[in-house]
Amino acid sequence: MTARTPETSSRPHRHDVIERLTPAAVRAHAPAGLAALLVDAVDGGASVGFLAPLDAAEAAEWWSGIAGEAERGVRDVWAAQGPDGSLTGVVTLVRAGAANGRHRGEIARLLVHSSARGGGLGQRLLATAEAHAAATGLRLLVLDTQTGSPAERLYRGAGWTAAGTIPDYAADPAGTLRPTTLYYKRL
């Protein structure tokens, strides 16, 4: 599931640098920056696969596993870094593994730190992953997000189409079952 996207921010993030992380860089950022982004998202109520409170060590371990996926070419990871060097956002692109699905990918774990929300960083991260997907031959992207979350506005604004809603799909960080909306975008 993807994280909810911010509504307001006091600082613009047009100058945050977005770069694709190598597997080694994912491992290096896992214990601090990437874990902090995930913990912040869960603490803020984002339904991204974890229940609150999320321990930073558990978040770091999850990101370490993502580094392995990046090594195998299954997942690409981009992170936004602020002028002070802190990670302010991340997005991942997961490639379908089945032979009949190699034309598609999934946008997963689009996270923007609560201190960086509202300045368009989520849009920039999403556009970066979409452009890479198109450049590498993917023709269809999918994602899911909690129905009614602020992230839906981001995806609809970026041209994504809602395909349907599944009731009680996943628990939010408090453990309450919530509906999820599936989205797709043709590239």
Side-chain angles (χ1 to χ4, degrees):
M1 301 195 79
T2 51
R4 54 185 203 168
T5 322
E7 297 183 71
T8 60
S9 173
S10 59
R11 72 179 222 204
H13 288 272
R14 292 182 301 250
H15 302 293
D16 290 6
V17 176
I18 297 173
E19 66 179 0
R20 187 171 169 197
L21 299 182
T22 65
V26 173
R27 277 192 187 85
H29 288 292
L34 290 170
L37 283 169
L38 188 54
V39 169
D40 178 71
V42 172
D43 285 352
S47 182
V48 292
F50 298 90
L51 297 176
L54 176 60
D55 180 69
E58 181 182 352
E61 183 179 328
W62 185 83
W63 280 110
S64 292
I66 295 306
E69 291 182 11
E71 278 178 336
R72 293 188 307 276
V74 173
R75 189 183 300 243
D76 296 310
V77 180
W78 292 268
Q81 189 171 15
D84 64 355
S86 66
L87 294 188
T88 54
V90 67
V91 65
T92 74
L93 170 66
V94 181
R95 297 177 180 286
N100 69 347
R102 292 193 181 128
H103 66 287
R104 75 174 185 267
E106 178 184 2
I107 298 294
R109 302 305 186 280
L110 173 56
L111 309 172
V112 175
H113 195 274
S114 58
S115 67
R117 294 181 182 159
L121 184 55
Q123 293 166 333
R124 289 181 51 221
L125 285 162
L126 182 59
T128 298
E130 289 176 1
H132 178 79
T136 57
L138 298 182
R139 297 190 312 267
L140 178 69
L141 292 177
V142 297
L143 62 81
D144 64 86
T145 192
Q146 183 176 309
T147 305
S149 71
E152 286 195 284
R153 191 170 51 247
L154 168 70
Y155 300 130
R156 289 176 192 215
W160 287 73
T161 301
T165 299
I166 303 170
D168 298 336
Y169 184 78
D172 66 14
T176 304
L177 292 178
R178 302 285 183 191
T180 290
T181 301
L182 307 175
Y183 283 87
Y184 71 92
K185 185 173 187 178
R186 290 185 173 148
L187 302 176

